[in-house]
């Protein structure tokens, strides 16, 4: 059985999220049937961008928590070890979630 320190590969796909061992063995499948467009890990946190459902996060072994952006066209997520996540959406914008209300960051609008 894998522990949080064992190396694995997380694969986002249009029909869910797979955790794959370095030997190619599928260890887990989550969010089955859902279009996961991006996944990221930071510390004990896993983050997922799911079209139509929004930005999700969970601690290793925990339950998924929806942080918002259900109506946005999601492209990517990245996170921090404290559970804060940044999501890139279309039209071009970056959102910060996970430590209060979702906040759109204004810097991208200056580009």
């Amino acid at each position: 059985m894998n522990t949080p320190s064992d190396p694995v590969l997380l694969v986002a796909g249009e029909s869910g999220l797979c955790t794959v061992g370095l030997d190619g063995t599928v260890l887990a499948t989550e969010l089955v049937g859902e279009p996961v467009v991006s996944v990221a890990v930071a510390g004990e946190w896993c983050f997922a961008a799911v079209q139509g459902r929004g930005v999700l996060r969970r601690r290793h072994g925990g339950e998924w928590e929806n942080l918002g952006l259900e109506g946005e066209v999601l492209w990517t997520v990245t996170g921090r070890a404290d559970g804060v996540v940044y999501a890139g959406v279309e039209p071009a914008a970056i959102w910060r979630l996970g430590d209060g209300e979702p906040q759109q960051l204004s810097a991208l609008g200056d580009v």
Side-chain angles (χ1 to χ4, degrees):
M1 171 162 195
N2 282 39
T3 66
S5 62
D6 289 339
V8 296
L9 176 66
L10 296 176
V11 181
E14 59 186 46
S15 59
L17 175 66
C18 289
T19 303
V20 180
L22 294 182
D23 64 356
T25 304
V26 175
L27 303 171
T29 305
E30 303 177 77
L31 305 171
V32 175
E34 299 193 53
V36 180
V37 297
S38 180
V39 63
V41 175
E44 65 180 328
W45 292 98
C46 181
F47 309 97
V50 182
Q51 291 298 5
R53 188 162 169 200
V55 176
L56 310 180
R57 76 173 175 189
R58 68 165 170 78
R59 284 194 164 103
H60 181 77
E63 297 293 319
W64 289 103
E65 170 188 11
N66 191 316
L67 299 177
L69 301 185
E70 294 89 345
E72 301 292 332
V73 177
L74 300 165
W75 283 99
T76 190
V77 291
T78 190
R80 301 187 331 207
D82 64 0
V84 171
V85 60
Y86 297 87
V89 302
E90 179 73 31
I94 298 174
W95 287 81
R96 175 185 167 134
L97 305 100
D99 62 347
E101 290 296 315
Q103 176 186 12
Q104 185 174 357
L105 303 181
S106 62
L108 190 59
D110 297 337
V111 175

